[in-house]
């Protein structure tokens, strides 16, 4: 591939499962969660600078986070930050960026990535991305990066592929199942025939737009109209109208489960989506009792827990197993470490006490 790809970083989420450390005013992608001196957004940008120049990056985020993106990525110009008026999931986020790029360069290739992934082996990661870029040049093909699962996780999409049908380094997807129930996830995991969908995609912009026309014609129709507004003063007004017309749906449900043009490139590069406290616990340094302690802490008879405090107060913990304690700003959270499915309820009820708590 002669021309460098465009990099679309999706950075509009509110990081509910990392509450109360992640807040609506500053979600997890804008935080230095790993203690590296760089936020998750900055780390994602750094990673993809290996394959694209700064002018080929687009950050899609909620309009409230425009200044946060600009502050954290000063190399970018303001028109490279695409501001959504409403959070309407990944299908619309990706459609907005794709139609905007198509207006600039109809022959472009896109890499789409969330802003909050951890990649431990970046050289291997770049090898997988280059393979995906090559595979995406085939007309109509939609490429996803697949990861070998290490547990029956219900929060990811599962990909089954044809081992004998290949397009260069990519293998044709047989089935794509988004977020199965626990029984199905266990069956997928134990079969050994499935990989996780990493949420990173590579495709020619024309291939993607064609897929929108076939599988999500309502979205295609809305964003096709935007071609007359992108880059003009009327763009914001168009977006405000457009986002009231489209439904809240992921790219996985909207296109990938339906299309027979999806291919997967297998990746093994130490991947985590950092979607919850439990996933962060997996990759953080632990004590001899499997505890992550990011606090001035004293622990007794405590195992497989995560203790985090932003203050210097002494945190004394006794007799806990599989617990999260997070003392951040004006919220103290104590719950089971693996209770991420409860976090929407936590946040919803905290909001009733006041917006300052979320």
């Amino acid at each position: 591939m002669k021309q460098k790809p465009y990099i679309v970083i999706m950075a509009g989420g509110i990081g509910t499962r990392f509450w109360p450390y992640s807040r609506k005013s500053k979600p997890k992608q804008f935080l230095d969660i790993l203690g590296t001196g760089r936020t998750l957004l900055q780390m994602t940008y750094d990673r993809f600078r290996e394959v694209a120049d700064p002018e080929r990056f687009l950050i899609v985020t909620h309009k409230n986070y425009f200044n946060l993106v600009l502050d954290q990525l000063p190399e970018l110009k303001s028109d490279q930050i695409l501001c959504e008026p409403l959070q309407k999931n990944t299908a619309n986020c990706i459609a907005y960026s794709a139609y905007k790029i198509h207006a600039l360069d109809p022959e472009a290739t896109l890499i789409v990535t969330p802003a909050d992934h951890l990649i431990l082996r970046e050289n291997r990661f770049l090898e997988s991305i280059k393979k995906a870029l090559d595979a995406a040049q085939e007309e109509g093909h939609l490429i996803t990066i697949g990861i070998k699962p290490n547990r029956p996780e219900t929060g990811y999409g599962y990909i089954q592929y044809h081992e004998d049908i290949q397009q260069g380094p990519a293998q044709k997807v047989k089935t794509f199942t988004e977020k199965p129930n626990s029984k199905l996830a266990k069956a997928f995991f134990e079969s050994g025939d499935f990989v996780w969908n990493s949420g990173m995609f590579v495709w020619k912009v024309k291939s993607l737009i064609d897929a929108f026309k076939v599988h999500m014609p309502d979205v295609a129709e809305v964003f096709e109209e935007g071609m007359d507004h992108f880059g003009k003063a009327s763009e914001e007004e168009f977006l405000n109208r457009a986002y009231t017309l489209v439904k809240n749906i992921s790219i996985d449900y909207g296109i990938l489960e339906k299309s027979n043009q999806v291919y997967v490139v297998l990746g093994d590069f130490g991947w985590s989506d950092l979607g919850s406290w439990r996933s962060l616990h997996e990759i953080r340094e632990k004590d001899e009792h499997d505890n992550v302690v990011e606090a001035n802490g004293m622990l007794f008879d405590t195992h497989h827990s995560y203790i985090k405090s932003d203050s210097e107060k002494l945190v004394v913990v006794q007799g806990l197993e599989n617990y999260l304690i997070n003392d951040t700003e004006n919220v103290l959270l104590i719950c089971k470490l693996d209770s991420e499915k409860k976090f929407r309820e936590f946040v919803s009820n905290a909001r009733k006490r006041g917006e300052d708590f979320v």
Side-chain angles (χ1 to χ4, degrees), residues 145-151 153 156-158 195-198 271:
I145 308 292
I147 308 291
K148 186 176 180 180
N150 58 16
R151 63 179 185 275
E153 172 63 57
Y156 303 152
Y158 282 73
V195 292
W196 284 333
N197 170 36
S198 68
W271 172 86

Side-chain angles (χ1 to χ4, degrees), residues 125-186:
F125 169 73
L126 292 172
E127 289 172 9
S128 296
I129 288 294
K130 286 170 184 173
K131 289 177 181 177
L133 286 168
D134 288 342
Q137 302 313 302
E138 189 72 22
E139 185 175 342
H141 285 191
L142 308 174
I143 312 300
T144 182
I145 308 292
I147 308 291
K148 186 176 180 180
N150 58 16
R151 63 179 185 275
E153 172 63 57
T154 58
Y156 303 152
Y158 282 73
I159 297 168
Q160 185 182 36
Y161 57 90
H162 296 276
E163 292 193 19
D164 54 344
I165 304 178
Q166 288 187 266
Q167 172 60 47
Q171 290 166 290
K172 188 172 178 61
V173 170
K174 184 178 182 181
T175 63
F176 190 107
T177 307
E178 175 64 1
K179 296 181 180 177
N181 60 39
S182 56
K183 185 178 179 180
L184 205 51
K186 189 170 185 287

Side-chain angles (χ1 to χ4, degrees), residues 285-302:
E285 187 176 341
K286 304 171 190 68
D287 67 14
E288 65 273 24
H289 300 296
D290 199 36
N291 299 306
V292 177
V293 183
E294 297 175 354
N296 182 16
M298 289 172 50
L299 275 59
F300 303 90
D301 305 319
T302 294

